[in-house]
PDB file of all heavy atoms in Angstrom:
ATOM      1  N   ALA A  80      69.264 -75.439 120.794  1.00 98.00           N
ATOM      2  CA  ALA A  80      69.372 -74.353 119.817  1.00 98.00           C
ATOM      3  C   ALA A  80      67.937 -74.151 119.310  1.00 98.00           C
ATOM      4  O   ALA A  80      67.230 -75.034 118.766  1.00 98.00           O
ATOM      5  CB  ALA A  80      70.248 -74.765 118.636  1.00 98.00           C
ATOM      6  N   LEU A  81      67.428 -72.856 119.351  1.00 98.00           N
ATOM      7  CA  LEU A  81      66.125 -72.541 118.940  1.00 98.00           C
ATOM      8  C   LEU A  81      66.109 -72.206 117.412  1.00 98.00           C
ATOM      9  O   LEU A  81      64.932 -72.028 116.962  1.00 98.00           O
ATOM     10  CB  LEU A  81      65.530 -71.424 119.793  1.00 98.00           C
ATOM     11  CG  LEU A  81      65.513 -71.771 121.262  1.00 98.00           C
ATOM     12  CD1 LEU A  81      64.860 -70.516 122.133  1.00 98.00           C
ATOM     13  CD2 LEU A  81      64.725 -72.938 121.553  1.00 98.00           C
ATOM     14  N   ASN A  82      67.153 -71.888 116.936  1.00 96.00           N
ATOM     15  CA  ASN A  82      67.218 -71.467 115.492  1.00 96.00           C
ATOM     16  C   ASN A  82      68.383 -72.220 114.816  1.00 96.00           C
ATOM     17  O   ASN A  82      69.361 -71.556 114.365  1.00 96.00           O
ATOM     18  CB  ASN A  82      67.327 -69.975 115.329  1.00 96.00           C
ATOM     19  CG  ASN A  82      67.177 -69.447 113.928  1.00 96.00           C
ATOM     20  OD1 ASN A  82      66.859 -70.279 113.025  1.00 96.00           O
ATOM     21  ND2 ASN A  82      67.356 -68.195 113.680  1.00 96.00           N
ATOM     22  N   PRO A  83      68.288 -73.517 114.688  1.00 96.00           N
ATOM     23  CA  PRO A  83      69.421 -74.235 114.167  1.00 96.00           C
ATOM     24  C   PRO A  83      69.667 -74.031 112.656  1.00 96.00           C
ATOM     25  O   PRO A  83      70.769 -74.396 112.239  1.00 96.00           O
ATOM     26  CB  PRO A  83      69.089 -75.683 114.455  1.00 96.00           C
ATOM     27  CG  PRO A  83      67.581 -75.654 114.614  1.00 96.00           C
ATOM     28  CD  PRO A  83      67.182 -74.373 115.125  1.00 96.00           C
ATOM     29  N   ASP A  84      68.818 -73.441 111.913  1.00 96.00           N
ATOM     30  CA  ASP A  84      69.076 -73.212 110.527  1.00 96.00           C
ATOM     31  C   ASP A  84      69.789 -71.941 110.194  1.00 96.00           C
ATOM     32  O   ASP A  84      70.230 -71.633 109.118  1.00 96.00           O
ATOM     33  CB  ASP A  84      67.746 -73.234 109.849  1.00 96.00           C
ATOM     34  CG  ASP A  84      66.983 -74.539 109.845  1.00 96.00           C
ATOM     35  OD1 ASP A  84      67.693 -75.648 109.983  1.00 96.00           O
ATOM     36  OD2 ASP A  84      65.784 -74.671 109.887  1.00 96.00           O
ATOM     37  N   TYR A  85      69.939 -71.052 111.273  1.00 95.00           N
ATOM     38  CA  TYR A  85      70.539 -69.782 111.016  1.00 95.00           C
ATOM     39  C   TYR A  85      72.061 -69.915 110.745  1.00 95.00           C
ATOM     40  O   TYR A  85      72.746 -70.544 111.592  1.00 95.00           O
ATOM     41  CB  TYR A  85      70.273 -68.889 112.193  1.00 95.00           C
ATOM     42  CG  TYR A  85      71.184 -67.553 112.210  1.00 95.00           C
ATOM     43  CD1 TYR A  85      70.946 -66.645 111.113  1.00 95.00           C
ATOM     44  CD2 TYR A  85      72.212 -67.390 113.001  1.00 95.00           C
ATOM     45  CE1 TYR A  85      71.669 -65.470 111.129  1.00 95.00           C
ATOM     46  CE2 TYR A  85      72.996 -66.220 112.973  1.00 95.00           C
ATOM     47  CZ  TYR A  85      72.721 -65.231 111.926  1.00 95.00           C
ATOM     48  OH  TYR A  85      73.527 -64.039 111.880  1.00 95.00           O
ATOM     49  N   ILE A  86      72.513 -69.421 109.583  1.00 95.00           N
ATOM     50  CA  ILE A  86      73.907 -69.413 109.251  1.00 95.00           C
ATOM     51  C   ILE A  86      74.450 -67.999 109.234  1.00 95.00           C
ATOM     52  O   ILE A  86      73.904 -67.166 108.594  1.00 95.00           O
ATOM     53  CB  ILE A  86      74.074 -70.091 107.831  1.00 95.00           C
ATOM     54  CG1 ILE A  86      73.560 -71.423 107.691  1.00 95.00           C
ATOM     55  CG2 ILE A  86      75.636 -70.022 107.457  1.00 95.00           C
ATOM     56  CD1 ILE A  86      74.133 -72.469 108.691  1.00 95.00           C
ATOM     57  N   MET A  87      75.472 -67.763 109.960  1.00 94.00           N
ATOM     58  CA  MET A  87      76.035 -66.347 110.032  1.00 94.00           C
ATOM     59  C   MET A  87      76.662 -66.041 108.693  1.00 94.00           C
ATOM     60  O   MET A  87      76.900 -66.955 107.920  1.00 94.00           O
ATOM     61  CB  MET A  87      77.154 -66.325 111.118  1.00 94.00           C
ATOM     62  CG  MET A  87      76.577 -66.581 112.495  1.00 94.00           C
ATOM     63  SD  MET A  87      77.857 -66.346 113.875  1.00 94.00           S
ATOM     64  CE  MET A  87      78.960 -67.678 113.486  1.00 94.00           C
TER      65      MET A  87
END
Side-chain angles (χ1 to χ4, degrees):
L81 302 181
N82 190 5
D84 296 329
Y85 172 66
I86 305 295
M87 296 184 295

